[in-house]
Amino acid sequence: MARPVLTGSRIRQYRIDKGLRQAELARECGISPSYLNLIEHNRRKIGGALLNNVAGALGVNTATLSEGAGAALTEALDAVAGGFAEPGADIERSEDFAGRFPGWARLVTQQHARVSELERLVETLNDRLTHDPFLSASLHNVLSTVTAIRSTSGILATGDEIEAAWQARFHRNIYEDSQRLAEATEALVGYLDVGGDTDRVLSLPLDELEAWLSDQDWRIDALETDNDTAASDIVAQAGSVFSSSAARALATAFLERYRADARALPVGPFEEAVLAGERDPMRLSARFSTDLPRAMRRLSTLPARFFKGGFPPGLVICDGSGTLAFRKPVRGFAPPRFGAACAVWPLFQALHRPLTPVRTDVALVGQDDVRFQTWSIATSDYVAGFERPPVVESTMLLMPVLASVGEEDAPYQVGTSCRVCAIRDCPARREPSILNVSEPAPKFG
């Protein structure tokens, strides 16, 4: 959306800030006060030598008068204001504010960026505190041990005569429970005290796999160059990265699928197609005669240089229960690690329409600078035969697209999980948000 030319308004404001009268500036620039008045009220255009003379008299750059504070700062202010339901009538004066007070404008945008960062941190910590199975089990262990110590010490504190054998047993129980309590609390503190690297605390086999894939930039070069490399060999080379047999089994299964994908869509021809401009997974699947989820998975392995803006796509996979089975985060969209995800994601909508591709543009609430093109599809596989239930899997590819100021809203906004979602009146809300959202309570039935 084009902005009005405010060069005259900027000239007037800089003149007032410098304490110059209109007649003084006009005389110094060689024009009449009445003509300068028309310029300052944006009724006459100004440029060329006259604009240079005015800029010199005011002691500012010509670009400062003609372009203001710059499109980047103005658009940043618009993005800040866009996060409020009722920003007020002065929202249209963001360029004027940025031009007059660039320092304050930058402070506002920096504070907004910091607030957004802290909101994402709260989201991560809330997700972890609410659903982290290791944390829940550790706290339960601590509370159980404290209760046991309290019960035993209560018996000893009654003052009643206790046989020597029982007294020794109670003392031994208190000692052993105290040791166990010390070990449990030490492990819990060590788990929580991760030096700020909250996202890399690993407690589940899937976490270990995704952390390893993140270190590999989500691309297994060994399988790109040699499809015959054994998945078990790659897992063995990772060493202690996979700390449990469950994590190693999960990694092996993932690598087996990765190898099959690489064979069906060879790296050379596939990258050539994408570099030629073909990024639609549907057309790529038809071009290489393969299924759509495989094309989506292959797109998610490509480096950032293949995509506009340098933002590679993300990928989310869930099973028939809606549980997230794979998460590759993307700029501005980090699926929750522990809690239930947003029910209105296209990923889950596809579960209701098996084998029907779902193409949707969405915006994540609170992320006004980026939107996402999404492709989703749910598939069924009768691996156990027709007499058994099918294995259902839904896949969603997310392609980030930088949003422009003034661009129409996306079809709908989504969140990450209900607990930290600021969308008002969401019909799919399961529980109230911990954010300051005024909305009715969740409804059931």
Side-chain angles (χ1 to χ4, degrees):
M1 179 175 63
R3 290 186 170 274
V5 178
L6 298 175
T7 303
S9 299
R10 298 188 195 104
I11 292 174
R12 182 173 184 274
Q13 188 57 51
Y14 278 107
R15 176 180 63 78
I16 293 174
D17 291 343
K18 287 186 172 294
L20 292 176
R21 297 172 55 192
Q22 202 172 62
E24 294 174 340
L25 180 60
R27 182 171 59 254
E28 190 170 347
C29 296
I31 57 176
S32 65
S34 59
Y35 188 69
L36 178 60
N37 183 67
L38 293 174
I39 292 175
E40 288 187 350
H41 287 83
N42 300 302
R43 296 176 183 173
R44 291 291 185 274
K45 294 182 178 180
I46 180 174
L50 180 55
L51 181 60
N52 292 333
N53 291 339
V54 172
L58 294 175
V60 298
N61 295 326
T62 303
T64 301
L65 296 179
S66 61
E67 301 176 7
L73 183 56
T74 303
E75 290 184 2
L77 285 174
D78 288 339
V80 173
F84 295 88
E86 297 178 0
D90 288 342
I91 181 62
E92 298 297 334
R93 301 182 61 187
S94 59
E95 184 180 9
D96 189 22
F97 173 71
R100 292 171 58 185
F101 310 106
W104 282 105
R106 282 191 291 271
L107 177 61
V108 169
T109 58
Q110 290 171 2
Q111 286 181 328
H112 179 259
R114 180 57 177 163
V115 168
S116 299
E117 179 184 350
L118 291 175
E119 286 180 346
R120 287 191 290 272
L121 179 60
V122 168
E123 177 181 338
T124 301
L125 293 176
N126 172 76
D127 185 40
R128 180 180 174 190
L129 290 172
T130 305
H131 302 284
D132 188 338
F134 179 85
L135 182 59
S136 177
S138 298
L139 290 175
H140 178 74
N141 186 24
V142 169
L143 292 175
S144 299
T145 308
V146 169
T147 302
I149 294 175
R150 181 177 180 180
S151 300
T152 306
S153 60
I155 295 173
L156 294 174
T158 58
D160 298 335
E161 290 292 334
I162 302 176
E163 294 181 8
W166 280 102
Q167 190 176 45
R169 179 177 296 182
F170 287 147
H171 286 160
R172 185 174 63 253
N173 288 345
I174 290 179
Y175 173 75
E176 292 175 351
D177 288 340
S178 299
Q179 290 288 101
R180 189 166 63 254
L181 177 62
E183 294 172 357
T185 53
E186 183 179 355
L188 181 59
V189 170
Y191 180 72
L192 295 174
D193 186 15
V194 293
D197 194 9
T198 306
D199 292 335
R200 297 305 298 271
V201 177
L202 309 179
S203 60
L204 298 173
L206 181 60
D207 295 333
E208 296 184 13
L209 172 60
E210 291 176 353
W212 178 70
L213 289 173
S214 178
D215 292 338
Q216 309 299 316
D217 200 19
W218 304 93
R219 184 179 177 89
I220 312 301
D221 291 329
L223 293 178
E224 297 290 354
T225 57
D226 183 6
N227 296 151
D228 295 327
T229 303
S232 57
D233 292 342
I234 299 176
V235 173
Q237 291 173 5
S240 60
V241 171
F242 303 114
S243 61
S244 65
S245 58
R248 290 189 290 272
L250 194 63
T252 301
F254 173 84
L255 293 172
E256 292 289 355
R257 170 182 268 191
Y258 191 107
R259 178 169 57 187
D261 292 347
R263 286 175 175 172
L265 290 86
V267 58
F270 185 72
E271 289 186 350
E272 289 178 5
V274 176
L275 285 174
E278 188 56 83
R279 295 179 178 85
D280 187 317
M282 180 69 75
R283 288 197 287 265
L284 284 169
S285 65
R287 179 170 181 169
F288 289 92
S289 301
T290 189
D291 58 90
L292 181 57
R294 174 165 285 163
M296 295 160 66
R297 293 194 299 266
R298 286 297 279 161
L299 276 169
S300 71
T301 67
L302 294 180
R305 60 185 176 87
F306 284 84
F307 302 97
K308 185 177 180 181
F311 301 124
L315 187 74
V316 184
I317 300 175
C318 75
D319 60 20
S321 71
T323 301
L324 300 188
F326 183 81
R327 303 164 298 230
K328 181 198 173 188
V330 64
R331 179 190 183 275
F333 197 107
R337 289 179 56 206
F338 304 115
C342 175
V344 296
W345 283 3
L347 173 76
F348 304 125
Q349 304 304 312
L351 285 174
H352 302 289
R353 290 177 278 175
L355 299 178
T356 302
V358 179
R359 168 70 177 84
T360 311
D361 290 346
V362 301
L364 191 67
V365 62
Q367 297 289 336
D368 300 319
D369 61 334
V370 64
R371 292 173 180 172
F372 303 93
Q373 299 174 346
T374 70
W375 292 265
S376 305
I377 189 170
T379 57
S380 301
D381 191 359
Y382 287 84
V383 293
F386 284 104
E387 294 79 13
R388 300 290 183 178
V391 176
V392 180
E393 183 178 77
S394 184
T395 305
M396 178 173 68
L397 182 75
L398 303 102
M399 199 82 72
V401 178
L402 294 180
S404 301
V405 174
E407 186 178 346
E408 293 184 1
D409 291 337
Y412 63 84
Q413 286 189 320
V414 300
T416 52
S417 63
C418 287
R419 291 290 301 277
V420 289
C421 180
I423 298 178
R424 291 179 170 84
D425 301 322
C426 177
R429 179 170 294 283
R430 295 181 297 270
E431 57 181 329
S433 173
I434 63 174
L435 303 179
N436 186 19
V437 179
S438 178
E439 60 181 14
K443 298 180 179 180
F444 301 92

